[in-house]
């Protein structure tokens, strides 16, 4: 008797606007946090970086190989919290623009995920 493989989880690459994610202060400055949202039968994987009082959201997918960036939960930044790091292949990205400044996808960009802070609450935009 053979075991069946688990079904593939459907993925989506966008989220509806105005979904509350967390309080802005739940993310350190500088810091980052990952989010998984279920949208119908599919799932969206994204993360938010907070730096210098600003927030930026990205789809959690490296432009080099398509993997999620963090190897550990919510660890999207380099140890000095200066850059976003793809833990799999070492690509580094500017936190507020998503531009890859080093590694296998230099010159590429992370896919933006529109987010905003409204009355202290981080929300999808």
């Amino acid at each position: 008797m053979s075991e069946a493989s688990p079904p593939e989880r459907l993925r989506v690459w966008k989220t509806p606007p105005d979904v509350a994610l967390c309080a802005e202060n739940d993310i350190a400055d500088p810091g980052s946090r990952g989010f998984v949202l279920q949208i119908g039968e599919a799932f969206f994987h994204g993360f938010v970086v907070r730096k210098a009082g600003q927030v930026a959201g990205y789809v959690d997918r490296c432009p080099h190989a398509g993997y999620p960036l963090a190897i550990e939960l919510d660890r999207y930044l380099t140890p000095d919290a200066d850059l976003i790091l793809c833990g799999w292949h070492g690509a580094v990205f500017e936190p507020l623009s998503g531009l890859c400044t080093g590694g296998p996808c230099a010159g590429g960009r992370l896919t933006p995920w529109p987010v905003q802070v409204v009355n202290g609450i981080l929300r999808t935009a």
Side-chain angles (χ1 to χ4, degrees), residues 12 15 19-21 35-39 42-46 113 124:
V12 293
T15 58
V19 174
L21 300 170
F35 295 90
V36 177
L37 297 130
Q38 185 170 357
I39 301 169
F43 294 86
F44 171 85
H45 295 255
W113 173 33
T124 59

Side-chain angles (χ1 to χ4, degrees), residues 21 25 32 94 110 120:
L21 300 170
N25 290 332
S32 59
E94 293 177 353
L110 295 172

Side-chain angles (χ1 to χ4, degrees), residues 30-32 49 51 74-87 90-95 101:
S32 59
V49 173
K51 186 164 185 172
D74 298 332
R75 295 251 175 154
Y76 292 93
L77 300 179
T78 55
D80 63 4
D82 193 43
L83 297 168
I84 297 168
L85 172 68
C86 176
V92 289
F93 304 84
E94 293 177 353
T101 59

Side-chain angles (χ1 to χ4, degrees), residues 29-72:
D29 187 352
S32 59
R33 184 167 175 190
F35 295 90
V36 177
L37 297 130
Q38 185 170 357
I39 301 169
E41 297 296 316
F43 294 86
F44 171 85
H45 295 255
F47 68 98
V48 173
V49 173
R50 185 172 177 218
K51 186 164 185 172
Q54 298 180 39
V55 295
Y58 301 101
V59 173
D60 193 358
R61 185 174 185 191
C62 182
H64 165 237
Y67 298 139
L69 277 84
I71 293 176
E72 293 183 47

